[in-house]
Amino acid sequence: MKAFLILEDGSVFQGESIGAKKEAVSEIVFNTSMTGYLEVLTDPSYAGQAVVMTYPLIGNYGVCLEDIESEKAWPDAFIVRELSELDSNFRTEMSIQDFLLKYDIPGISGIDTRALTKLLRDKGTMNGILTYDENYDINEIIPKLKAYSPSKVVEKVTCKEKYTLKGNGYKVALMDFGAKKNIAKSLNDRDCEVTVYPAFTKAKEILASKPDGIMLSNGPGDPKECTTIIEEIKQLYDSDIPIFAICLGHQLMALSQGADTHKLKYGHRGGNHPVKDLETGKVYISSQNHGYVVDVEKMDSEKAVPAFVNVNDNTNEGIKYIGKNIYTVQFHPEASPGPHDSGYLFDKFIKMMGGNK
């Protein structure tokens, strides 16, 4: 079946339908990872977005459900150059096409994803529609695309009830703003007992459980929308409990302390972004998935200092809070980039809670 991807600037890409047969309006973003399409599809941070994979062949190693980052797929649509019809991998349990069908994700293949990516880099992230209607009226579609804005995405992706992963070490409270499974696993592998809380849990409840540390997770959307969560984070900041935050959690902590955030032209999404640790001078390869960054120049320098910087565009990638046991990063140390370049940050969090237990 023919499929059409239409962007708000009037650009049209014609290809073939993959996955579920349904129309989708979404923000179009691109990911530069060469592998990890399953992790991309199951990352809650992609809620409210349609993902373009820049690597030309997707699906060749199939789907291994052990590798998923959450219980379902989140993107509004999946956009690829070529979807492999054969999956060759001793661990595979289904094809990527069957996976898209199972989770009702529509998509398009056979388009020039390189041209699409260059367009998004040149003009910035745009909204788009995936449609099968050959008689579409572009003059009718464009105003709808320009008016589209995803909202309340954290509410969609967070867990509904708290749950605990048992461990014999430190007790960690993990705030789920759209947490990838590997965050809890990275803590659990270090023997921490991890209790995962819904995003809108009151700070009073978390502090009453007397955790040894608090983890603020990744998640989707504009951080400034999370006004009630930011108010609760202010109370967590005022406690003496060590806090480690990733991605959206990093942005929310900064906003809670008077900093500002802004939207990047086309975001950072992929497994190959270099970041520099400003304390050691070392550069690490990081996995990233975000469209917003913290404006550290608008932050009180007596309260916080930059900890990491992006080597490509000099945007902030981490913050250390002065006089506090609080450390936050924009990238994903749990995602095994490098493959283990930045896993040491979880060990640093363990030390913040008192060292090996």
Side-chain angles (χ1 to χ4, degrees):
M1 180 186 291
K2 287 183 181 179
F4 303 89
L5 177 66
I6 305 169
L7 302 183
E8 64 180 83
D9 72 339
S11 300
V12 179
F13 295 83
Q14 180 179 330
E16 296 178 357
S17 167
I18 58 174
K21 301 297 186 292
K22 69 176 186 181
E23 197 168 86
V25 176
S26 190
E27 180 182 48
I28 314 297
V29 301
F30 63 87
N31 183 294
T32 56
S33 297
M34 295 177 68
T35 62
Y37 51 79
L38 180 60
E39 289 85 346
V40 168
L41 282 165
T42 55
D43 182 348
S45 293
Y46 282 112
Q49 297 175 328
V51 183
V52 182
M53 299 300 294
T54 62
Y55 192 71
L57 179 63
I58 299 297
N60 54 307
Y61 57 85
V63 170
C64 176
L65 297 177
E66 184 182 348
D67 297 338
I68 63 175
E69 287 288 357
S70 64
E71 296 306 320
K72 59 171 286 188
W74 292 102
D76 292 329
F78 198 51
I79 302 162
V80 301
R81 174 68 184 90
E82 180 182 351
L83 197 75
S84 177
E85 295 182 9
L86 298 175
D87 46 304
S88 179
N89 179 359
F90 73 97
R91 297 173 68 231
T92 187
E93 297 172 61
M94 67 174 70
S95 70
I96 186 70
Q97 167 70 0
D98 288 340
F99 183 83
L100 294 173
L101 288 171
K102 179 178 180 179
Y103 291 102
D104 200 31
I105 305 295
I108 184 172
S109 69
I111 70 169
D112 188 343
T113 50
R114 183 167 61 174
L116 174 56
T117 300
K118 289 175 71 175
L119 186 62
L120 295 173
R121 281 177 59 92
D122 181 43
K123 295 189 174 182
T125 297
M126 288 184 275
N127 292 333
I129 183 172
L130 175 63
T131 183
Y132 311 100
D133 182 6
E134 296 186 44
N135 299 313
Y136 60 82
D137 183 345
I138 199 162
N139 294 318
E140 184 180 309
I141 287 174
I142 289 176
K144 292 180 180 178
L145 294 180
K146 289 183 176 180
Y148 172 78
S149 179
S151 62
K152 297 183 178 179
V153 280
V154 170
E155 189 175 318
K156 294 176 184 176
V157 301
T158 188
C159 61
K160 305 307 177 189
E161 297 179 349
K162 73 175 182 180
Y163 61 93
T164 299
L165 301 175
K166 294 295 183 182
N168 298 314
Y170 292 107
K171 290 171 58 180
V172 176
L174 170 57
M175 295 293 292
D176 177 13
F177 307 133
K180 295 164 67 179
K181 279 187 175 181
N182 236 8
I183 293 177
K185 185 178 183 299
S186 295
L187 293 167
N188 212 215
D189 286 348
R190 289 163 173 81
D191 215 21
C192 294
E193 178 173 294
V194 183
T195 301
V196 183
Y197 290 87
F200 299 95
T201 304
K202 297 294 184 183
K204 187 183 297 184
E205 179 182 343
I206 294 170
L207 297 175
S209 69
K210 297 183 178 178
D212 297 304
I214 298 170
M215 183 93 212
L216 307 181
S217 84
N218 64 293
D222 183 346
K224 290 179 182 177
E225 279 193 353
C226 303
T227 52
T228 58
I229 296 174
I230 291 169
E231 290 304 311
E232 300 303 319
I233 290 177
K234 287 180 182 178
Q235 297 179 49
L236 298 179
Y237 175 90
D238 290 336
S239 74
D240 291 325
I241 299 172
I243 299 175
F244 181 32
I246 290 173
C247 198
L248 179 62
H250 154 81
Q251 297 164 6
L252 295 177
M253 175 59 75
L255 287 171
S256 79
Q257 299 308 306
D260 197 8
T261 57
H262 71 268
K263 190 172 185 177
L264 292 167
K265 186 176 181 180
Y266 46 79
H268 297 159
R269 298 175 181 90
N272 45 13
H273 291 258
V275 296
K276 183 177 182 179
D277 185 330
L278 296 177
E279 185 177 349
T280 65
K282 290 184 178 180
V283 174
Y284 300 93
I285 296 300
S286 70
S287 175
Q288 303 204 9
N289 175 15
H290 63 101
Y292 294 82
V293 290
V294 175
D295 295 322
V296 286
E297 62 273 11
K298 296 180 181 179
M299 197 162 199
D300 185 349
S301 60
E302 294 184 1
K303 182 176 287 188
V305 293
F308 284 89
V309 66
N310 189 292
V311 176
N312 289 335
D313 62 9
N314 293 316
T315 54
N316 177 257
E317 293 285 356
I319 295 172
K320 178 175 175 53
Y321 289 81
I322 299 169
K324 288 283 188 177
N325 243 346
I326 300 176
Y327 201 84
T328 72
V329 293
Q330 181 62 75
F331 53 96
H332 289 263
E334 86 289 345
S336 300
H340 302 296
D341 273 19
S342 51
Y344 75 93
L345 291 172
F346 285 100
D347 299 321
K348 186 169 187 170
F349 183 41
I350 298 295
K351 290 178 180 178
M352 287 165 61
M353 291 187 286
N356 294 330
K357 191 171 184 180

